[in-house]
Structures are given as structure tokens and as C-alpha cells.
Amino acid sequence: MPAPRAAQDGAIAVRRGMFGVDGTGDTSGYGGLVRSIRLPGASARPYGGWFDEVADELEGALEEQGLVPESVIDKTVVDRGELTFHIEREHLPCVARTLRDDPALRFELCTGVCGVHYPHDKGRELHAVYHLRSITHNRLIRLEVSAPDADPHVPSLVSVYPTNDWHEREAYDFFGIVFEGHPALTRIMMPDDWQGFPQRKDYPLGGIPVEYKGAQIPAPDQRRSYS
């Protein structure tokens, strides 16, 4: 049986409205919604299924390298049937290489990295989430690392998973996560001289009017607000 959902880390924010927009800009009509934003806490063993096997093998492989698993893995989370290892960012390349090369793990494929911004998660506002797949064992896990806004640096995994080249550039472009060691960390979607990172939660909704069938559609922050 899978492990029960662990105790929450606690609320990091309270969201009001459909998109958490402050002031004008929420055109959804759901401005009265109020809910707390919570992140799942560490799970207790047994995790269930093959999750324990992967966790045991990873911890054993780290010990063989002279590392203390508790200093490398911040927490292990089983939530909604998915396994995520939260890794201290300085150990990310070592953990990724171990997951790729260990015969009992063999997570040969990283399908990309996603950026996440939690502006109220103090000291760890920026998260990078990696999706790893084992073709050998037909398994899927995630790695997650965090960094503060004041020091948004995370080691690049291009040397371990070369396909991350473009994914890391996209996460840098939209979230401002600086992937140390990337061979050419430049913007991939926005112009080179663009100011700011458009997918951060504190980025203004603004925009420009769009012409559609002869009509001018106002920019998002200028449309009628129903909240």
C-alpha cells in the first residue's frame, strides 16, 4: 500500500481569486475565492511499491561515495502516487549521475526541467523540478531543488543529461534560474534585452492590445475586472 500523505509543511501563502492577482487584472469572476497554498511534507516509510527500492538503492549508492544521505536528500515526498526527492542543490549533479549510472536505478532519460516560483516560500522561492524516467525498469521519479531569489543559482545537468540544454535555457528565460556550468545560458523565447522573467508570480500581467477581426482586445491588466 502507498504511504499515507504526510503532514503538511504548513501554509506558505493565502491565494485570493482564481489566479492570485492583486488589484486589477483578474477577469475570471472568481475574485471571492480564498485558499491557502501548502506544500506536502516529507513522507514516512514505507513509501509503497517500488518507491522503497529506489530510495534504498539511492541512499546506499550515496553512502558508497562517502556521502551522508540525510545531508544530500532534504526530504522524500510521496504525494498523489508520485515519488519526489528534494535534493540540496550543491549535490544535484552527483545525485543525477548516480540515478543514471547505478544498474539498479538506471534513470537514463531526463525529459526536462520545469521552473516554479513560490514568492512566499522564504529562502527557497525558486524551484527547479526534473522528471527522470528509467527505460530499463519503466519507472518515473522527480528531483526537486530550491534556491532563494537572492541567489538563484542551480548546477546545470547538461553534462549528465545533454537534452537538458534547451530546457535549462527556457527555465532561465522565464524564471531567472541561473544554471551554473551551462554551455550557453541565453534567452530562448524572449528578446535578449528583455527585462524580468515573465513566469514569475510577481511579474506584472501587462501586455499590449491585440487586434482580432477588426476589434481591439485590451491588454490583460486593462480588461474589466469582476472581483
Side-chain angles (χ1 to χ4, degrees), residues 118-133:
Y118 296 108
H120 301 288
D121 192 10
K122 298 304 180 184
R124 31 183 286 137
E125 293 87 355
L126 294 169
H127 292 232
V129 184
Y130 302 82
H131 308 268
L132 305 184
R133 179 173 291 280

Side-chain angles (χ1 to χ4, degrees), residues 5-190:
R5 187 170 180 176
Q8 302 281 342
D9 279 349
I12 62 170
V14 175
R15 176 171 294 176
R16 302 180 183 277
M18 179 64 79
F19 303 107
V21 178
D22 295 323
T24 61
D26 185 355
T27 61
S28 66
Y30 290 91
L33 291 178
V34 178
R35 69 184 183 92
S36 61
I37 306 301
R38 294 179 174 271
L39 300 179
S43 299
R45 287 181 180 269
Y47 301 138
W50 51 264
F51 293 172
D52 291 279
E53 179 183 340
V54 169
D56 290 341
E57 186 61 36
L58 175 58
E59 291 175 7
L62 292 174
E63 290 175 344
E64 291 175 0
Q65 299 174 59
L67 298 171
V68 179
E70 291 77 11
S71 67
V72 176
I73 304 172
D74 178 48
K75 63 179 178 180
T76 302
V77 176
V78 177
D79 190 49
R80 296 176 175 86
E82 298 175 328
L83 175 64
T84 303
F85 295 106
H86 290 250
I87 307 298
E88 298 293 342
R89 56 178 170 169
E90 63 270 21
H91 295 294
L92 177 63
C94 173
V95 171
R97 193 172 292 107
T98 300
L99 287 166
R100 183 194 66 182
D101 296 341
D102 190 288
L105 296 170
R106 283 284 187 250
F107 285 90
E108 308 99 331
L109 176 64
C110 179
T111 58
V113 55
C114 301
V116 190
H117 185 213
Y118 296 108
H120 301 288
D121 192 10
K122 298 304 180 184
R124 31 183 286 137
E125 293 87 355
L126 294 169
H127 292 232
V129 184
Y130 302 82
H131 308 268
L132 305 184
R133 179 173 291 280
S134 170
I135 300 173
T136 299
H137 303 293
N138 191 26
R139 294 169 174 173
L140 180 66
I141 64 171
R142 280 198 299 262
L143 299 181
E144 185 167 340
V145 296
S146 62
D149 268 337
D151 180 23
H153 295 79
V154 171
S156 171
L157 288 189
V158 172
S159 62
V160 183
Y161 296 109
T163 53
N164 263 19
D165 188 340
W166 292 75
H167 296 285
E168 288 182 2
R169 286 181 60 188
E170 183 179 54
Y172 162 72
D173 195 357
F174 287 148
F175 291 92
I177 301 174
V178 179
F179 293 93
E180 295 287 351
H182 190 284
L185 193 62
T186 57
R187 289 194 182 269
I188 191 173
M189 302 293 288
M190 309 302 292

